[in-house]
Amino acid sequence: MTVDREVIPEHEQAPPDEVSRATVLAYAVAATLLLGWFLFGWLVLRQGFVDSVGESAGAGFALLLVISVVGTVRRSRSRSRR
């Protein structure tokens, strides 16, 4: 037995959430800081191109991990209040 998704209103596709200007601005600031970190390591500290790329990529991935954890915690708190 199958159930058509159109019958169950819970499975209707919700419109995607809009991204706020503050979020876009925060991502732009983070990207600028990562680029600055790369250039600082490469040009000022003279640690080499590959090392500078690796260090800034690692910092970027760590930042993405923090954003993911914060988003998960916020989403779980908002669902528990319903």
Side-chain angles (χ1 to χ4, degrees):
M1 183 166 116
T2 62
V3 177
D4 192 4
R5 287 183 177 258
E6 294 177 8
V7 175
I8 303 172
E10 299 169 357
H11 293 288
E12 290 181 11
Q13 291 218 358
D17 295 333
E18 291 186 20
V19 179
S20 67
R21 289 184 184 178
T23 302
V24 173
L25 182 64
Y27 283 141
V29 168
T32 303
L33 289 174
L34 288 173
L35 179 64
W37 187 251
F38 161 75
L39 291 173
F40 178 75
W42 185 37
L43 299 174
V44 176
L45 298 179
R46 298 192 182 271
Q47 64 183 7
F49 181 79
V50 175
D51 290 337
S52 295
V53 168
E55 189 171 321
S56 60
F61 285 128
L63 183 61
L64 286 174
L65 179 64
V66 168
I67 290 170
S68 176
V69 169
V70 167
T72 302
V73 169
R74 288 181 64 195
R75 190 170 293 143
S76 68
R77 284 187 181 177
S78 69
R79 287 185 181 166
S80 66
R81 290 182 184 169
R82 291 182 188 178

